[in-house]
Each structure stands twice: as structure tokens, then as C-alpha cells.
């Protein structure tokens, strides 16, 4: 009987907790809308029920930067004026003098608050709710496919296999295969070239997307291969992929420094062009380059074989050009700076600080400060660009009070998402429209039989940030810290929104909705 009871219990557990899911092999097509009774987006070709369209929705931005700050919890990204003005000793009582804040992770990303106040129509901060399991590999699956990985998938967090189902990264790199003889369709193929892609950081991405994140440098060096890659229809595309090992949680800097030491290659003009600039402009570029260098903690990263001597510490003028490991006859330093379309960067220092020390250690304060300066420099580069560019900064998950993650506790699932662009996308009129959308969605949800049992943020799209309040419950500050109201979205909503903003079709298996603020102003 005991054996039968144990077997029955295991069967129930495997069926209920270790859920499996079916992956559909279908892929969304950029040339056909998902339903015959809807119209294409503004600026697209094709009418109602058309079998040929020029994309689902016109791209909102010419360039996109995706910066994943692993384990960026929502209260790491929020700002409190009360905390900024008050300091504490170990007991939580206010003291005179700068002895440090009670929590080292608060108010360490002031750039988010500063730009939100200065440019409210260009930026917005969201509570970015993850679905468990909150492990990096499973979250990346959800953030690219729009699907919900199950707990049984968590066992593959350290040995991920390539993703076959439809995802936005695959669509980004997909070569058009439209076979129609229609002239307009062939013209669309020419427009829908794969994007020039840059990837830097956590090597989990390359295990999930080995084909999409494949560096084209070797192909560029072979004229025959490069000509074949052009396919006779569209210009060939290039990719620069620099993954770094991610599993050593005691290493706080290697992955981050690998990202931060390479980003200037794409965000700053090449040093070789400084001689043609006006003296003041050249001095300004050198000063910006020096600010990037100061972010890199392991200075040996600057003398890596990807770079020339000009990036070594102290070499602020002159120096050798980038060497052949990053450039080719096809893609030189100027093309690296001018022609990229999408940059994906994934840093790990915040997450590793949590695993090694926990969030209450000063190391996380230093790491968040480093990320804040990096975001400042990225925003500076975006603002200087004449191309509409979007920046997405988000965490794939949060962390619990011990610095761990994987489960479904509030601090593990409450990540942050911050959007910024050098063009207005979140206007006052758009905010009013998106508010009406949220009100309608709330009424529809509450009319359903189970609607009243859903969490408040799922019903209303808003969430009270009580984490800050909870952190200081035993201090005099609790009376001053009122829970702040933030927009809340599921992480899978980023998939459909990012896809449409890139001018791509939404992945076929996506379960997420569109973030209304991103399109309500169009």
C-alpha cells in the first residue's frame, strides 16, 4: 500500500507541478497578418484581408539597444527623495554625517529618475513581473518567445539547448523567403533585410541562439562566402558576437567589463576619424572615451586582442587602430559605429553580487553605481545620434533577501524595466489613450468569473511598490515612506511590443500583450 501511495503521489506531483508544454513549430510571417479580418499597421502595404503586407507594423525606431542587468529588482531602480536626504547607523536611527544608507541598493540608479523627470514623454519605468521559475535561462526563453517555461525546464538552466520555436531574435536575423512573383513582394524582400547585430555578455544567449548569434567576421574575410551570403537580392548583414562565461558567481567583473570595454566601439566615432574633427569635437570624443575606460574595473580587458593599443589605459590620444579581430575589408571601424541596428548586452555583476554576498553588501552598491554610469554614457550616445533609437534596460528576474532566485517570492519575480528613446513616444495624449485601454481591460477582466480573484496588478495594470516600505519597517522612516504606484506588466508583454517596435512579426507562440504606452502616441 505504501508503494502504491508513493507511486500515486509521484504521479500527481509530476502531472501537477512538473508541467510540460507543447511547442508549436509555426512561425509568424512578416508578409501575412495573423487574421484575415484586420488591417495592417499604418504605413504598411496591403488592405483588409490582404495576403501580402509590408510588415505587421512600421518600425518605431531605426536602432535598438537591449541592456539586460541580470537580477535588476524593481526597488533597485526606483528613487526615494526621503532616503536620499536621510542617513542611518546600523540600528536604523537617523544620524549626522555620511555613514551610508541602511540598504546599499537604494537610490543607486539616479539616472532613471533624473531622465524620467526631465523627459517624461521619452521614458517610463515599469515593474516587470517575471513568471517562475526565475532562473536566467528560463527567463530568456520567455523574454524572446513570449512563452511560459515550466519548472521542469529549470533543471536545464546550466545546460541550455537551442531554441527552435519562433522568437524575435530569430525574426531579426531571418532572411526573407517570399517566393511570390509579385513585384511588390520582391520589393518587400529587399526592404526586409536581416539587421546588423551586436551581442555582448552572458554566454547563455549563445547556447540558446547558436545560429542567430553567429559572428560573421570569418565570412567577411572570404570574398566568395560573403558574396554568397548576399544572396543576390539584398545586402549581406554582419554580426559581432562576444560571449563571456557566466557560471562563476564569485567573479563580479569579467562579464560586465567585457561588455563595457566593447560598447564604445559601436557608440563612439572611431579614433581614426578624430583627426578630421574640429579640435573641440575631437577633445570631447576623447573625453567620452576616457569615461568609458574608467568604468572597466579589470584594466586588462582594454588590451584584449579585440582592440588596438589605443584602448589601453592612459592612451587618450593616437595609438594603433582596431586590429583585424573586429574589423574586415567589408566592415571597418566606421561601419561598426555607423551601421549597427540592434545591440544586445547582458551584464551579470549585480546577480553575482547577490549570489556571493547578498543584496545588503556594499559590493552591490558599487556594481549598481557602475551600471548607472554605463546607462548615462549609453543615453549620451543615443542623444547625440540623428537616428531614432530605443534603449530597454531590464532585469530578467529579481533576488530574495539572501541574493538567490529561482522561485516565485515577490522579490524574485519583481524585476524592473526602463524604456528610453531620443524621440517622443509617451505623449500626454498617448497616456490618456493607454489609460482608457487599461480601464477597458480591467472591466473585461472583472466581468469574468475568476477575474475578481486575480492579483491587483493583473487586473488594473498598476502596482504599489511596498518593498521600500518593508525594508524600513523597523525604522523611523516607515512613516515617511509611502508605497509608490508603478505601472506593472508581465515580462512576456515585452516580446510583442519589442517585435512590433522593430518592425517584426510577433512570435507565433507569444502569450503576451502589447504595452499600450509604446504605441498609444502613434
Amino acid at each position: 500500500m505504501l508503494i502504491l501511495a508513493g507511486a500515486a503521489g509521484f504521479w500527481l506531483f509530476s502531472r501537477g507541478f512538473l508541467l510540460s508544454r507543447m511547442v508549436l513549430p509555426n512561425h509568424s510571417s512578416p508578409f501575412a497578418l495573423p487574421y484575415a479580418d484586420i488591417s495592417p499597421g499604418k504605413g504598411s502595404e496591403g488592405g483588409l484581408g490582404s495576403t501580402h503586407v509590408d510588415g505587421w507594423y512600421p518600425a518605431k525606431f531605426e536602432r535598438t539597444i537591449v541592456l539586460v542587468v541580470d537580477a535588476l529588482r524593481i526597488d533597485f531602480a526606483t528613487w526615494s527623495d526621503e532616503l536620499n536626504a536621510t542617513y542611518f547607523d546600523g540600528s536604523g536611527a537617523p544620524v549626522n554625517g555620511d555613514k551610508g544608507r541602511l540598504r546599499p541598493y537604494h537610490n543607486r540608479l539616479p539616472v532613471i529618475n533624473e531622465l524620467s523627470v526631465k523627459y517624461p514623454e521619452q521614458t517610463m519605468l515599469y515593474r516587470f513581473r517575471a513568471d517562475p521559475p526565475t532562473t536566467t535561462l528560463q527567463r530568456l526563453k520567455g523574454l524572446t518567445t513570449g512563452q511560459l517555461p515550466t519548472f521542469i525546464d529549470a533543471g536545464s538552466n546550466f545546460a541550455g539547448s537551442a531554441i527552435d520555436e519562433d522568437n524575435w531574435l530569430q525574426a531579426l536575423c531571418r532572411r526573407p523567403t517570399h517566393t511570390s512573383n509579385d513585384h511588390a513582394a520582391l520589393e518587400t524582400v529587399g526592404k526586409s533585410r536581416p539587421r546588423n547585430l551586436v551581442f555582448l555578455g552572458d554566454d547563455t544567449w549563445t547556447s540558446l541562439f547558436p545560429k542567430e548569434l553567429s559572428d560573421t567576421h570569418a565570412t567577411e574575410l572570404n570574398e566568395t562566402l560573403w558574396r554568397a551570403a548576399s544572396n543576390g537580392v539584398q545586402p549581406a548583414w554582419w554580426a559581432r558576437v562576444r560571449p563571456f562565461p557566466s557560471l562563476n558567481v564569485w567573479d563580479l567583473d569579467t562579464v560586465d567589463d567585457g561588455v563595457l570595454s566593447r560598447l564604445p566601439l559601436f557608440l563612439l566615432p572611431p579614433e581614426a576619424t578624430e583627426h578630421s574633427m574640429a579640435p573641440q569635437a575631437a577633445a570631447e570624443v576623447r573625453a567620452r572615451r576616457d569615461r568609458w575606460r574608467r568604468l572597466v574595473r579589470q584594466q586588462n580587458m582594454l588590451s584584449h586582442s579585440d582592440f588596438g593599443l589605443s584602448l589601453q589605459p592612459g592612451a587618450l590620444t593616437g595609438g594603433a587602430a582596431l586590429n583585424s579581430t573586429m574589423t574586415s575589408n567589408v566592415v571597418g571601424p566606421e561601419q561598426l559605429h555607423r551601421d549597427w541596428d540592434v545591440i544586445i548586452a547582458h551584464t551579470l555583476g549585480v546577480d553575482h553580487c547577490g549570489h556571493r554576498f547578498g543584496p545588503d553588501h556594499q559590493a552591490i552598491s558599487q556594481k549598481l553605481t557602475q551600471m548607472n554610469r554605463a546607462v548615462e554614457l549609453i543615453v549620451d550616445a543615443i542623444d547625440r545620434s540623428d537616428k531614432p533609437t530605443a534603449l530597454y534596460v531590464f532585469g530578467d528576474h529579481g533576488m530574495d533577501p539572501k541574493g538567490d532566485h529561482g522561485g516565485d517570492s515577490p522579490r524574485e519575480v519583481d524585476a524592473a524595466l526602463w524604456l528610453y528613446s531620443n524621440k517622443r513616444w509617451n505623449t500626454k495624449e498617448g497616456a490618456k489613450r493607454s489609460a482608457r485601454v487599461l480601464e477597458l481591460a480591467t472591466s473585461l477582466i472583472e466581468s469574468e468569473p475568476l477575474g475578481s480573484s486575480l492579483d491587483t496588478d493583473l487586473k488594473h495594470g498598476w502596482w504599489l511598490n511596498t518593498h521600500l516600505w518593508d525594508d524600513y519597517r523597523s525604522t523611523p522612516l516607515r512613516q515617511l515612506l509611502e508605497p509608490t504606484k508603478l505601472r506593472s506588466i508581465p515580462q512576456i508583454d515585452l516580446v510583442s511590443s519589442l517585435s512590433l517596435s522593430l518592425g517584426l512579426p510577433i512570435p507565433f507562440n507569444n502569450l503576451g500583450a502589447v504595452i499600450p504606452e509604446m504605441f498609444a502616441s502613434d
Side-chain angles (χ1 to χ4, degrees):
M1 288 297 294
L2 289 176
I3 294 176
L4 290 176
F10 178 79
W11 183 84
L12 289 172
F13 176 79
S14 63
R15 291 287 180 175
F17 185 76
L18 300 178
L19 299 174
S20 59
R21 63 186 179 91
M22 181 181 296
V23 175
L24 299 177
N26 308 65
H27 289 73
S28 298
S29 169
F31 306 110
L33 294 171
Y35 305 105
D37 58 346
I38 61 174
S39 298
K42 180 180 178 183
S44 297
E45 298 176 10
L48 188 66
S50 173
T51 57
H52 165 64
V53 295
D54 185 7
W56 288 23
Y57 198 86
K60 287 179 66 68
F61 308 104
E62 290 187 40
R63 287 177 155 184
T64 296
I65 301 174
V66 175
L67 175 61
V68 184
V69 180
D70 207 288
L72 183 65
R73 208 168 68 191
I74 181 59
D75 54 324
F76 295 0
T78 52
W79 178 266
S80 167
D81 289 328
E82 291 82 7
L83 281 182
N84 199 50
T86 310
Y87 293 83
F88 304 89
D89 62 16
S91 66
V95 297
N96 295 323
D98 187 354
K99 291 191 176 181
R101 298 180 182 89
L102 189 62
R103 295 289 184 265
Y105 46 81
H106 284 150
N107 285 9
R108 294 301 181 182
L109 290 170
V111 63
I112 292 177
N113 179 69
E114 291 167 3
L115 292 174
S116 297
V117 172
K118 189 175 182 179
Y119 304 115
E121 295 188 338
Q122 296 173 221
T123 180
M124 192 160 183
L125 176 66
Y126 295 86
R127 179 251 200 156
F128 201 38
R129 180 170 175 167
D131 294 287
T134 49
T135 48
T136 294
L137 186 142
Q138 283 65 46
R139 296 310 328 121
L140 292 183
K141 286 182 178 181
L143 287 163
T144 51
T145 66
Q147 271 284 325
L148 303 177
T150 61
F151 268 96
I152 198 169
D153 293 331
S156 63
N157 189 50
F158 304 106
S161 56
I163 292 179
D164 294 324
E165 62 186 296
D166 199 9
N167 61 80
W168 61 262
L169 191 59
Q170 191 178 83
L172 195 70
C173 303
R174 188 183 300 143
R175 294 186 175 281
T177 56
H178 202 288
T179 58
S180 170
N181 292 323
D182 180 64
H183 177 72
L186 293 175
E187 202 172 87
T188 300
V189 171
K191 294 177 184 176
S192 304
R193 65 169 177 83
R195 318 295 172 88
N196 294 330
L197 177 65
V198 178
F199 172 78
L200 308 167
D202 185 349
D203 61 358
T204 304
W205 286 79
T206 53
S207 67
L208 294 176
F209 304 101
K211 294 180 181 178
E212 294 80 4
L213 298 180
S214 176
D215 198 296
T216 61
H217 185 260
T219 305
E220 295 163 25
L221 297 178
N222 187 310
E223 185 176 349
T224 303
L225 291 177
W226 184 250
R227 190 175 301 163
S230 300
N231 205 23
V233 177
Q234 60 194 8
W237 64 290
W238 55 264
R240 289 295 179 269
V241 179
R242 293 296 182 271
F244 297 90
S246 59
L247 295 182
N248 182 8
V249 297
W250 287 80
D251 183 352
L252 308 183
D253 298 313
T254 296
V255 176
D256 293 10
D257 287 348
V259 171
L260 299 177
S261 60
R262 287 154 176 76
L263 276 176
L265 295 175
F266 309 97
L267 300 181
L268 297 180
E271 284 189 281
T273 64
E274 290 179 10
H275 71 278
S276 62
M277 300 178 184
Q280 183 177 353
E284 190 175 81
V285 171
R286 287 195 294 271
R288 291 164 59 198
R289 201 181 309 279
D290 188 45
R291 289 178 65 194
W292 276 103
R293 291 191 189 101
R294 294 176 189 276
L295 281 183
V296 180
R297 296 168 64 88
Q298 299 180 110
Q299 293 297 311
N300 61 309
M301 279 288 177
L302 298 173
S303 56
H304 189 275
S305 59
D306 281 351
F307 305 97
L309 298 177
S310 58
L311 281 177
Q312 290 183 358
L316 302 183
T317 58
L322 295 171
N323 71 16
S324 60
T325 62
M326 286 290 275
T327 61
S328 66
N329 292 333
V330 177
V331 182
E334 182 63 28
Q335 284 74 32
L336 290 180
H337 168 63
R338 186 188 63 212
D339 294 342
W340 62 267
D341 296 304
V342 177
I343 294 176
I344 302 171
H346 189 148
T347 63
L348 284 172
V350 174
D351 178 70
H352 287 187
C353 282
H355 286 299
R356 183 173 178 180
F357 301 112
D360 287 316
H361 195 276
Q362 284 301 317
I364 206 163
S365 173
Q366 298 167 5
K367 186 55 65 174
L368 288 171
T369 299
Q370 183 188 36
M371 292 298 104
N372 183 75
R373 291 171 180 163
V375 172
E376 288 178 338
L377 291 174
I378 294 171
V379 168
D380 178 67
I382 290 174
D383 288 345
R384 293 171 185 270
S385 174
D386 58 355
K387 297 181 179 180
T389 305
L391 169 64
Y392 300 79
V393 180
F394 60 84
D396 52 341
H397 51 74
M399 65 174 70
D400 65 19
K402 294 182 179 179
D404 298 324
H405 57 89
D408 62 350
S409 68
R411 299 198 180 212
E412 290 174 274
V413 301
D414 289 345
L417 166 65
W418 183 63
L419 274 59
Y420 177 81
S421 173
N422 56 357
K423 63 176 281 189
R424 294 164 65 243
W425 60 271
N426 187 25
T427 64
K428 292 180 180 179
E429 286 301 315
K432 293 177 181 178
R433 295 191 193 104
S434 60
R436 291 197 294 270
V437 170
L438 292 174
E439 289 173 3
L440 177 60
T442 298
S443 63
L444 291 174
I445 291 173
E446 290 183 336
S447 67
E448 295 295 323
L450 297 178
S452 59
S453 63
L454 293 175
D455 291 349
T456 302
D457 63 291
L458 294 177
K459 288 191 292 184
H460 304 288
W462 295 91
W463 171 75
L464 285 178
N465 180 10
T466 59
H467 294 327
L468 193 67
W469 198 48
D470 290 340
D471 276 340
Y472 300 97
R473 66 173 60 194
S474 59
T475 74
L477 257 191
R478 180 166 183 173
Q479 297 176 355
L480 301 175
L481 295 173
E482 292 296 329
T484 54
K485 191 177 181 181
L486 286 175
R487 275 281 283 119
S488 177
I489 60 171
Q491 286 195 352
I492 55 176
D493 284 4
L494 179 67
V495 175
S496 49
S497 306
L498 180 60
S499 297
L500 292 180
S501 72
L502 287 167
L504 303 173
I506 297 173
F508 189 87
N509 293 317
N510 171 67
L511 298 175
V514 170
I515 302 172
E517 292 88 353
M518 286 189 64
F519 304 94
S521 299
D522 292 355

